[in-house]
Amino acid sequence: MGLRVLHVVDPVSRSGGPCALRLLADGLGRVEGVEQDVLVLGGTADGELARGEGIDVFHRIAPAGRQAVLASTAMRRFVRRHGPYDVVHAWSIPAYTLVALAVPGALRMLTLTAGPTSRRGAHWLRMALRERPGTVLCASSVISRSLRSCGMSEDVVHVLHPGLDFGRIEHGDRARLREQWGIGESTRVIALVGEPASACDGWRASWILSGLAGVGLDAAVVVPDGVREVHRGYERAARMDLADRFIVDGRAARPWSILPACDAALFLGDDTREAGRGGGRAEPGAFPVLWAMAAGVMVVAEAGYAIGEVLEDHHSALLAKPGDDWGLVRALMRGLTDEQLAWRLRDTVRSEAFSYFSRQRYCSDLAVVYEQVAEGLPVRVPDLPATGGLRFSGRT
C-alpha cells in the first residue's frame, strides 16, 4: 500500500487520555503498508505523556494558550518540511479543526474515543466537516449515534471498535500493588474507571465506599489523581474513618497498570441525559471499562448507553439504574461476596474482550480504512457483533 499517515494528537483533550494514547501507540508500526508519524500538540509534559504510553513522538508543537487553532502557521510549516502525507489523522476535535484550517487540501480523518461534551460541540464538528470534509471513526456506536443525531451523514461517521494489547496487563503485580497501597488480601479493592479522569466523581466514589463499609464489607476504592471532588471525597472518607481505604493513585488513569490488584471496576457515568448546551458537566467515557474486561475484572456500572453496548446485566456485569448509588452498593456487595457469580462474570468479560477487542483486528481494519480514504473510496468498516444489551428491571 505504501501510505504515509500523520497523526495529530492532543494528549489532554477529552479524546486524548491515556487509553486513547495507548490505542494510538498500539497501532504504530503494526498497520501493514503504512508509515506513520506522530505530531503532539502541547508542551513538554504533553510530549512526555505521549512517550510514556509508548508513542514515538516525531515532532511537537506548543500552541499559544493551549488553543490548537493558534498553531496553524507552525502546522503548515511542519507539513511543508516533512510532507507530503497521504492522510492526516486527528485524535480530537481541536486537532481536527487545526488540520482543517492549516492543511485544507489534506485527506483527513478523526478518531473519537469519547463523544463531544454537548450538542454545541457536535454541531461545531458538523460545521467543520461541511467546510473541510473528512472521515470520523468512533470507538463506539453510542458516539456515532450522538453525532448522527446532530445531522452528520452516515457516509462520514463510522464505528471502528478499539483494540487492546492484552500483554499490558501484568497479573503478577497484584501482591506488589496491594503492598504499596497498604491493603491486605482480604480487602476487596474497587477501581474507579472512566476517561478523562477529571470527569469521574470522587465524591460519589466515597459515598459508595462508606455504603459498603456500612453493610460490613472490608473494601477500598482506588481513584485516579485529578478526579472531580477528589479532596471532598477523601475528607468524607476520613470522617468515616476510611481514609486508608480511599486511595488516590495517578496510575489508576492507566487502568491496565492497577487492575490486576483489583476485585471490581466501578464505572459512574450517565450518558442517558444530554449535557447542557453550553457544555454542562461532562460524563466520563467508558473506554477504560474495556480494559477491565480484558483484565477479567468484574464490572459494576450505571446502565447507560455506552455501557449497554458492551455489557449485559447479570451476564457480563452487574448494572444499576443511573443515579442509584444504593443499587450500585448492593451490586458490589453481591458481586464481591458471591464467588460463583464473580467467577462467571469475570470469565465472560475476559472471553468477550478477547473476541471483540483484539489489537490485530483493530490494526487490520484501520489499514483497510486508510486505503479506502487514500483512494477516495467509500469507507466500509467491517461489522462487529454486538456484545451487550440493557436487560434489567425497569429499563429497556
Side-chain angles (χ1 to χ4, degrees), residues 69-335:
V69 294
L70 299 182
S72 297
T73 301
M75 179 74 182
R76 283 192 290 269
R77 186 183 303 120
F78 170 84
V79 172
R80 283 198 301 268
R81 182 178 301 169
H82 300 286
Y85 291 97
D86 298 289
V87 178
V88 182
H89 189 167
W91 287 75
S92 69
I93 294 177
Y96 185 87
T97 303
L98 169 64
V99 172
L101 293 174
V103 200
L107 295 173
R108 288 174 292 276
M109 288 174 50
L110 167 64
T111 285
L112 289 177
T113 58
T117 60
S118 68
R119 292 185 68 85
R120 178 180 294 177
H123 283 304
W124 168 257
L125 178 58
R126 186 188 68 179
M127 297 296 292
L129 288 166
R130 188 173 70 181
E131 296 297 325
R132 299 287 192 271
T135 298
V136 181
L137 300 179
C138 302
S140 71
S141 297
V142 169
I143 300 172
S144 173
R145 283 196 299 271
S146 72
L147 296 181
R148 287 188 279 111
S149 70
C150 294
M152 296 187 203
S153 169
E154 293 186 3
D155 295 334
V156 172
V157 179
H158 309 275
V159 178
L160 177 56
H161 290 87
L164 309 178
D165 178 6
F166 300 98
R168 292 281 162 193
I169 303 168
E170 298 288 347
H171 293 280
D173 286 347
R174 181 178 177 89
R176 178 181 62 82
L177 288 166
R178 283 176 168 251
E179 182 180 1
Q180 292 175 356
W181 294 333
I183 296 295
E185 189 57 37
S186 62
T187 301
R188 299 291 185 259
V189 179
I190 303 157
L192 180 66
V193 298
E195 191 169 83
S198 59
C200 298
D201 196 326
W203 169 256
R204 289 187 68 193
S206 71
W207 197 99
I208 290 169
L209 173 64
S210 63
L212 290 170
V215 294
L217 185 69
D218 179 14
V221 63
V222 181
V223 304
D225 189 19
V227 302
R228 186 171 65 231
E229 303 279 12
V230 63
H231 298 298
R232 188 170 171 230
Y234 177 82
E235 289 172 358
R236 186 182 193 282
R239 289 196 300 270
M240 302 290 292
D241 199 26
L242 296 170
D244 60 334
R245 294 294 190 264
F246 189 88
I247 303 167
V248 182
D249 191 328
R251 293 173 295 182
R254 307 168 70 248
W256 53 88
S257 68
I258 58 103
L259 283 167
C262 299
D263 303 289
L266 175 65
F267 178 78
L268 303 175
D270 177 11
D271 59 4
T272 63
R273 55 187 175 85
E274 182 187 336
R277 290 185 178 275
R281 192 172 76 178
E283 298 290 342
F287 195 172
V289 172
L290 304 185
W291 281 101
M293 295 171 64
V297 173
M298 179 185 67
V299 178
V300 175
E302 292 185 284
Y305 297 137
I307 289 296
E309 185 176 337
V310 294
L311 296 170
E312 182 180 330
D313 191 30
H314 283 81
H315 167 71
S316 51
L318 296 177
L319 308 182
K321 293 181 180 180
D324 184 4
D325 287 354
W326 268 118
L328 292 165
V329 170
R330 289 192 297 269
L332 283 165
M333 186 68 181
R334 181 179 179 190

